[in-house]
């Protein structure tokens, strides 16, 4: 017994210890690489991450996860061999077990395949703002991507909640931070107001925002007044749109709403809370604070 512990037993302990240390080293190296990618992507004058940086971060995470799984799998086979378990004799039972698991693990296989195509096709990556629709409908998971593996995607919502979505259950992804974005503000005004005057006020608001040193880096071009979008019995909606850097449309939209409310008040016009294209009241708090 002592001879076994001094021989094969020691080898088993060394294999387990070596695999754990190697897995931790890969995890440490992967974290160092992703941290460096993040620093280069957000350092200097960069306001948003480049698509290449997002893809490199996600790919590094996937390779790190795959390498750790491979290390532990190889370690298991070496341990079984040192314990005297005939690995070749496990081929037939493993085949039967694999068939059984194949039927029971179809969803996991689907998740992994879906994750592979998400990474290779660059549908989204770390730091992207996305809206993910899953099988069965319901409210989509909307937020910032914090982690992408071959099996799951983790999204941090605006409320700080972490939503984990299996990749195989995703049926639709809306990437809100790819290449460029658009801030849309619908301004409801009474139907009795001169629409031409309203349009001129909104154009001046857009020109001032484009001249503002704090807003200019976020805007790709001056905000545009699209004109009357909808008609109602008592009011009409005038739409203003602005092309922004990816992921900055929410910040720009809130700033425009504040400027619009203040500009209308300075001109003696009454305006309801400007909304988004879906009727949402995004940025209401910022408007109220700016009006005070």
């Amino acid at each position: 017994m002592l001879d076994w512990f001094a021989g094969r037993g020691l080898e088993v302990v060394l294999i387990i210890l070596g695999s754990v240390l190697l897995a931790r080293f890969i995890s440490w190296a992967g974290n160092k690489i992703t941290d460096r990618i993040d620093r280069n992507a957000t350092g200097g004058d960069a306001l948003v991450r480049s698509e290449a940086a997002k893809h490199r971060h996600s790919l590094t995470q996937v390779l790190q996860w795959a390498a750790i799984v491979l290390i532990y799998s190889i370690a298991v086979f070496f341990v079984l061999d040192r314990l005297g378990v005939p690995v070749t004799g496990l081929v037939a039972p493993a085949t039967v077990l694999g068939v059984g698991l194949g039927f029971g693990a179809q969803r996991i296989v689907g998740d992994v395949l879906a994750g592979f195509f998400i990474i290779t096709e660059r549908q989204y990556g770390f730091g992207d703002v996305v809206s993910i629709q899953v099988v069965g409908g319901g409210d989509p998971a909307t937020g910032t991507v914090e982690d992408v593996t071959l099996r799951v995607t983790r999204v941090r919502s605006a409320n700080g909640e972490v939503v984990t979505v299996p990749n195989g259950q995703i049926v639709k992804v809306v990437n809100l931070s790819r290449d460029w974005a658009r801030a849309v503000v619908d301004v409801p005004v009474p139907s009795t107001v001169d629409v031409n005057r309203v349009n001129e006020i909104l154009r001046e608001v857009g020109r001032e925002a484009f001249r503002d040193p704090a807003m200019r880096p976020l805007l790709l071009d001056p905000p545009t007044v699209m004109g009357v979008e909808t008609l109602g019995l008592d009011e009409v909606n005038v739409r203003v749109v602005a092309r922004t850097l990816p992921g900055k449309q929410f910040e720009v939209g809130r700033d425009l709403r504040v400027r619009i409310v203040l500009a209308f008040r300075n001109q003696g016009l009454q305006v309801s809370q400007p909304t988004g294209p879906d009727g949402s009241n995004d940025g209401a708090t910022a408007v109220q604070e700016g009006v005070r």
Side-chain angles (χ1 to χ4, degrees), residues 64-262:
Q64 174 184 332
W65 176 80
I68 292 175
V69 171
L70 180 63
I71 288 171
Y72 283 131
S73 300
I74 294 175
V76 168
F77 281 104
F78 275 112
V79 169
L80 291 177
D81 181 64
R82 293 302 184 275
L83 293 177
V85 178
V87 178
T88 55
L90 296 177
V91 173
T95 303
V96 177
L97 181 62
V99 173
L101 290 177
F103 287 106
Q106 290 181 10
R107 178 170 295 182
I108 296 177
V109 175
D111 293 340
V112 172
L113 289 176
F116 172 78
F117 286 111
I118 287 173
I119 298 299
T120 56
E121 294 175 359
R122 302 191 182 188
Q123 298 177 16
Y124 55 82
F126 177 82
D128 273 331
V129 181
V130 298
S131 178
I132 299 176
Q133 187 73 46
V134 298
V135 174
D139 295 333
T142 303
T144 304
V145 177
E146 286 196 342
D147 190 15
V148 182
T149 68
L150 287 178
R151 201 181 73 81
V152 298
T153 296
R154 292 185 179 87
V155 176
R156 175 81 63 174
S157 70
N159 297 325
E161 303 165 339
V162 176
V163 183
T164 302
V165 182
N167 293 329
Q169 301 299 302
I170 298 175
V171 295
K172 178 182 178 181
V173 177
V174 179
N175 194 327
L176 304 175
S177 57
R178 186 69 177 265
D179 298 332
W180 57 272
R182 175 175 288 159
V184 181
V185 179
D186 286 338
V187 184
V189 297
S191 56
T192 56
V193 173
D194 184 0
V195 177
N196 291 328
R197 183 186 176 195
V198 170
N199 288 340
E200 186 55 38
I201 294 174
L202 294 177
R203 291 191 187 96
E204 182 59 29
V205 168
R207 288 191 288 265
E208 290 180 357
F210 196 67
R211 289 193 297 264
D212 188 340
M215 290 294 296
R216 178 65 182 87
L218 307 181
L219 294 167
L220 300 181
D221 44 41
T224 304
V225 179
M226 305 299 293
V228 176
E229 183 68 20
T230 59
L231 293 172
L233 294 177
D234 300 323
E235 66 180 22
V236 297
N237 282 327
V238 182
R239 175 163 291 186
V240 180
V241 299
R243 286 204 314 146
T244 73
L245 292 177
K248 300 298 182 180
Q249 66 268 34
F250 308 110
E251 181 179 346
V252 171
R254 287 190 291 267
D255 185 270
L256 288 177
R257 291 181 180 93
V258 173
R259 293 174 184 270
I260 291 170
V261 170
L262 294 178

